[in-house]
Amino acid sequence: MEYAAILMFVVVCLVLLLGYPVALSLAGTALLFAGAGMALDVFDPAFLTALPSRLYGVVNNQTLLAVPLFVFMGAMLERSKIAENLLNAMSLLFGRFHGGLGISVILVGALLAASTGIVGATVVTMGLLSLPTMLKRGYSPAFSSGIICATGTLGQIIPPSIALVLLGDVLSNAYQKAQLDMGIFSPETVSVGDLFAGAVVPGLILVGFYILYCLVLAVVKPDIMPRLEAEDIEKLTQNQSVPALMLSALVPPLLLMVAVLGSILLGFATPTEAAGVGAMGATLLALAQKKLTLENLRAVMQSTTKITAMVFLILIGASLFSLVFRGFGGEELVHGFFQQMPGGVVGATLIVMLVIFLLGFILDFIEITFVVVPIVAPVLLAMGLDPIWLGIMIAINLQTSFLTPPFGFALFYLRGVAAKSVRTADIYRGVIPFIAMQLVLLIALAIWPELVTWLPELMYK
């Protein structure tokens, strides 16, 4: 039964491919293997007695309280038509130039991705809002599809991101465990705020890459990225002055994002406290837009409850899975595998990144964060990797995986809301340049890790 832990991991992936719920697949597979292991006397049932204390730790975790608050903020901004107003304002600002609408979609998508943090929600929202508009104004279906999918996945990396909140909590535990295993009994800590600070520069670089690509394409192929016509501009202004429209659409959401992210980065608030500010700010924005109706509030609360329940149910299933995995000696097996791997820490990191990339085809970031990262992160961190750098690399790696044909989640989400005139081949072809840009960023971060670690060191040390 030496490889029972690896077999358990393979079985849970097969069960997930059959379409069973993630949380139940993790817990069910773990209990099945634990029962078989106890029957064969190769699994110590004492491992399962640690489950209640683990679940109490999950419930008592103040960091994870930020998850429902950030989800509430994103859902409220989505229901209050903030994204639609922003897109109109940005279109007025840039639409007079070739590629201006594309740049507007990038900036609005980045802001929306930061506020929702959920890839599916951002891609679907931007697909419904901007794809018909781009196609109507003569933009190429491939470019339109690619830019919407790419900006939708920015929620993985641009703070405040739910993915980084969950990664930060898991990496904090993994980092402390790695240091204790190395005999460091006063371990350093890594926080969600550290990850937020580390993600700022890579996130801005990625948005800059997208905008640069837009500008280059506008010069090389202006016919696939036409300017707005005079009647389009008149329709967008709706008898308002352009400065007034820009002010009312741009300033409130930007102030909200600056307040949330700035309070975390400057140390005025924890991520949980800042999430509370964001949730209240989004509610006040909805009130100002006259969108805070009972129907909208009910829809926002239902959406928040569903997503939060999903996250914590997966976390419970992952906790049980990791206990049984450890009981079968899985951690020692993984540690030994990495230690014997040629190439040392570089080889181990490449293998982990490749595995996470492939798992991104069948698992969402929540499952990978709760199941895979706790297994591999302690070993990599014990080899000397910086936890903030590792967290950002994992986030961008998953972002790339969600874009990659034919299994990328973002492609499926857009296919579900795109018009029939947009072929699946158009969507696949459109995302390829953005995948290339993300791979360039990953390579740049591997060569210059200071792009990630510079800001956290400057702000917190």
Side-chain angles (χ1 to χ4, degrees), residues 119-137:
V119 170
T122 309
V123 172
V124 168
T125 302
M126 292 304 295
L128 291 171
L129 280 179
S130 57
L131 185 57
T133 305
M134 296 180 81
L135 295 176
K136 182 181 176 183
R137 290 172 184 166

Side-chain angles (χ1 to χ4, degrees), residues 269-343:
T270 65
T272 303
E273 292 164 347
V277 171
M280 178 56 72
T283 306
L284 293 176
L285 281 181
L287 182 63
Q289 297 280 343
K290 298 181 181 178
K291 298 292 183 181
L292 192 60
T293 62
L294 190 60
E295 180 187 353
N296 281 347
L297 187 59
R298 184 186 294 115
V300 169
M301 294 176 72
Q302 286 177 344
S303 175
T304 302
T305 303
K306 285 179 182 177
I307 293 174
T308 304
M310 175 193 71
V311 169
F312 280 88
L313 191 60
I314 291 172
L315 182 49
I316 290 170
S319 297
L320 180 56
F321 183 88
S322 64
L323 279 173
V324 177
F325 185 85
R326 180 180 294 178
F328 278 116
E331 286 191 352
E332 290 79 7
L333 197 65
V334 171
H335 190 273
F337 174 73
F338 283 157
Q339 291 291 343
Q340 296 170 13
M341 185 176 296

Side-chain angles (χ1 to χ4, degrees), residues 10 25 41 49 61 66 74 82 86 135 145 157 159 205 280 282 310 318 334 413 437 447 457:
V10 172
S25 299
D41 199 26
T49 61
N61 191 327
I82 297 292
L86 263 176
L135 295 176
S145 304
I157 186 66
I205 290 174
M280 178 56 72
M310 175 193 71
V334 171
Y413 292 135
M437 285 180 255
I447 298 172
E457 289 176 356

Side-chain angles (χ1 to χ4, degrees), residues 5 8-13 16 22-27 29-30 54 166-167 170-171 174 311 313-323 325-326 330-331 334 352 355-356 359 363-378 394 398:
M8 185 171 74
F9 194 84
V10 172
V11 168
V12 82
C13 288
L16 289 170
V22 175
L24 301 182
S25 299
L26 291 170
T29 304
R54 280 205 172 194
L166 299 176
L167 258 177
V170 171
L171 282 174
V311 169
L313 191 60
I314 291 172
L315 182 49
I316 290 170
S319 297
L320 180 56
F321 183 88
S322 64
L323 279 173
F325 185 85
R326 180 180 294 178
E331 286 191 352
V334 171
V352 167
V355 169
I356 288 177
L359 287 175
L363 299 177
D364 202 353
F365 77 90
I366 301 171
E367 298 93 74
I368 291 174
T369 300
F370 289 150
V371 178
V372 181
V373 176
I375 294 172
V376 299
I394 290 173
L398 283 175

Side-chain angles (χ1 to χ4, degrees), residues 121-396:
T122 309
V123 172
V124 168
T125 302
M126 292 304 295
L128 291 171
L129 280 179
S130 57
L131 185 57
T133 305
M134 296 180 81
L135 295 176
K136 182 181 176 183
R137 290 172 184 166
Y139 273 66
S140 155
F143 173 80
S144 304
S145 304
I147 208 163
I148 289 170
C149 287
T151 54
T153 58
L154 284 172
Q156 293 289 115
I157 186 66
I158 296 182
S161 160
I162 295 172
L164 294 181
V165 171
L166 299 176
L167 258 177
D169 183 65
V170 171
L171 282 174
S172 175
N173 296 329
Y175 191 40
Q176 290 189 27
K177 183 180 184 304
Q179 291 177 93
L180 291 172
D181 290 344
M182 291 187 292
I184 302 171
F185 297 107
S186 55
E188 296 180 10
T189 59
V190 59
S191 67
V192 173
D194 292 328
L195 247 63
F196 279 5
V200 169
V201 174
L204 291 176
I205 290 174
L206 205 50
V207 172
F209 278 172
Y210 292 174
I211 293 175
L212 184 62
Y213 172 67
C214 230
L215 293 173
V216 171
L217 209 59
V219 173
V220 177
K221 296 182 178 179
D223 53 310
I224 69 168
M225 306 173 73
R227 292 177 290 195
L228 287 184
E229 301 294 336
E231 60 260 25
D232 292 325
I233 295 173
E234 188 177 340
K235 195 181 295 183
L236 285 173
T237 55
Q238 296 176 345
N239 299 322
Q240 297 182 61
S241 68
V242 174
L245 188 63
M246 297 288 296
L247 197 67
S248 62
L250 281 175
V251 174
L254 284 175
L255 284 178
L256 177 62
M257 300 312 297
V258 168
V260 172
L261 188 55
S263 61
I264 297 171
L265 296 181
L266 296 176
F268 296 139
T270 65
T272 303
E273 292 164 347
V277 171
M280 178 56 72
T283 306
L284 293 176
L285 281 181
L287 182 63
Q289 297 280 343
K290 298 181 181 178
K291 298 292 183 181
L292 192 60
T293 62
L294 190 60
E295 180 187 353
N296 281 347
L297 187 59
R298 184 186 294 115
V300 169
M301 294 176 72
Q302 286 177 344
S303 175
T304 302
T305 303
K306 285 179 182 177
I307 293 174
T308 304
M310 175 193 71
V311 169
F312 280 88
L313 191 60
I314 291 172
L315 182 49
I316 290 170
S319 297
L320 180 56
F321 183 88
S322 64
L323 279 173
V324 177
F325 185 85
R326 180 180 294 178
F328 278 116
E331 286 191 352
E332 290 79 7
L333 197 65
V334 171
H335 190 273
F337 174 73
F338 283 157
Q339 291 291 343
Q340 296 170 13
M341 185 176 296
V345 65
V346 175
T349 305
L350 284 173
I351 290 294
V352 167
M353 288 297 165
L354 179 62
V355 169
I356 288 177
F357 179 84
L358 295 175
L359 287 175
F361 291 153
I362 58 173
L363 299 177
D364 202 353
F365 77 90
I366 301 171
E367 298 93 74
I368 291 174
T369 300
F370 289 150
V371 178
V372 181
V373 176
I375 294 172
V376 299
V379 182
L380 292 178
L381 294 175
M383 291 179 168
L385 289 184
D386 185 283
I388 303 172
W389 178 85
L390 180 62
I392 302 305
M393 291 290 283
I394 290 173
I396 298 174

